[in-house]
Amino acid sequence: MRLVTVSGPPSSGKTSVIIKTIEALREEKTKCGVVKFDCLSAQDQILYHTKDIPIKTGLSGNLCPDHFYVSNIEAALEWAQGEQFDYLITESAGLCNRCSPHIKNILAVCVIDNLSGVNTPKKIGPMLKLADIVVITKGDIVSQAEREVFAFRVRQVNPRAKIIQFNGVTGQGSFYLKKSSS
């Protein structure tokens, strides 16, 4: 089983990226599950259920969501192994800018959107800096120049990461993310 961590600021498009990528993985008969870690509430399970994607949700409450994640990842892995998933994708709210839900030697994906502002890459901390892949969403809403400036700012923070432009509505980019996660 392959574990993939996906993090990013709220409303950056993490759920859409995960759903579209799982749809692409399913073309190869790959079995995937998702564990969503959030703070106080999460409605994304409805979206996952409509796509028949198995999901578990963990709410951290007053704890840092990333510390909660680390405390509960073993239970998530046990569930995934019991379900015999080929992939377990964890989705983190990414609300703690000091911590990161990424695990050493595990594929780390950070989702960030073009609409968040060109200074955002410098502000979101380790979830971007430690990511292996940075997925940039909502590029269809901004100009080519804005996309290039934003990608440049991402590269300044994490020059080693692979950058994938992704459209969460059409799924454009899911092929490249699927290929990168294999």
Side-chain angles (χ1 to χ4, degrees):
M1 179 189 59
R2 180 101 194 242
L3 175 63
V4 178
T5 62
V6 177
S7 66
S11 300
S12 59
K14 296 179 297 294
T15 301
S16 293
V17 166
I18 292 169
I19 287 172
K20 293 296 184 184
T21 303
I22 287 175
E23 288 174 347
L25 285 165
R26 282 182 168 172
E27 292 173 5
E28 299 172 358
K29 306 292 186 230
T30 303
K31 189 174 178 186
C32 304
V34 175
V35 176
K36 165 84 177 193
F37 291 96
D38 216 324
C39 290
L40 301 174
S41 69
Q43 289 76 38
D44 292 341
Q45 66 270 16
I46 297 166
L47 294 170
Y48 286 114
H49 284 301
T50 62
K51 299 293 185 176
D52 199 29
I53 299 170
I55 180 168
K56 295 282 185 184
T57 302
L59 300 177
S60 66
N62 292 330
L63 291 175
C64 158
D66 297 327
H67 285 95
F68 181 79
Y69 170 85
V70 169
S71 300
N72 290 281
I73 190 61
E74 286 184 28
L77 288 170
E78 286 175 18
W79 170 68
Q81 289 169 339
E83 296 292 323
Q84 299 181 332
F85 294 138
D86 298 305
Y87 282 85
L88 175 62
I89 302 171
T90 63
E91 178 181 349
S92 172
L95 295 174
C96 183
N97 290 337
R98 296 179 314 256
C99 304
S100 172
H102 303 312
I103 302 169
K104 190 175 183 176
N105 299 322
I106 301 294
L107 182 64
V109 178
C110 179
V111 178
I112 185 170
D113 72 272
N114 279 292
L115 299 179
S116 62
V118 294
N119 292 319
T120 298
K122 289 191 270 183
K123 296 177 183 179
I124 64 171
M127 73 176 138
L128 175 60
K129 191 172 190 162
L130 300 174
D132 301 306
I133 300 171
V134 178
V135 175
I136 303 176
T137 60
K138 303 178 186 174
D140 56 321
I141 302 173
V142 298
S143 70
Q144 178 66 29
E146 290 170 302
R147 285 192 300 275
E148 289 178 19
V149 168
F150 194 81
F152 175 78
R153 294 289 177 94
V154 166
R155 279 190 195 90
Q156 285 180 313
V157 173
N158 186 342
R160 66 173 185 77
K162 179 175 186 169
I163 295 177
I164 299 174
Q165 298 286 339
F166 200 102
N167 185 315
V169 175
T170 66
Q172 184 178 8
S174 60
F175 171 79
Y176 299 107
L177 185 54
K178 173 183 83 167
K179 193 172 173 104
S180 297
S181 64
S182 298

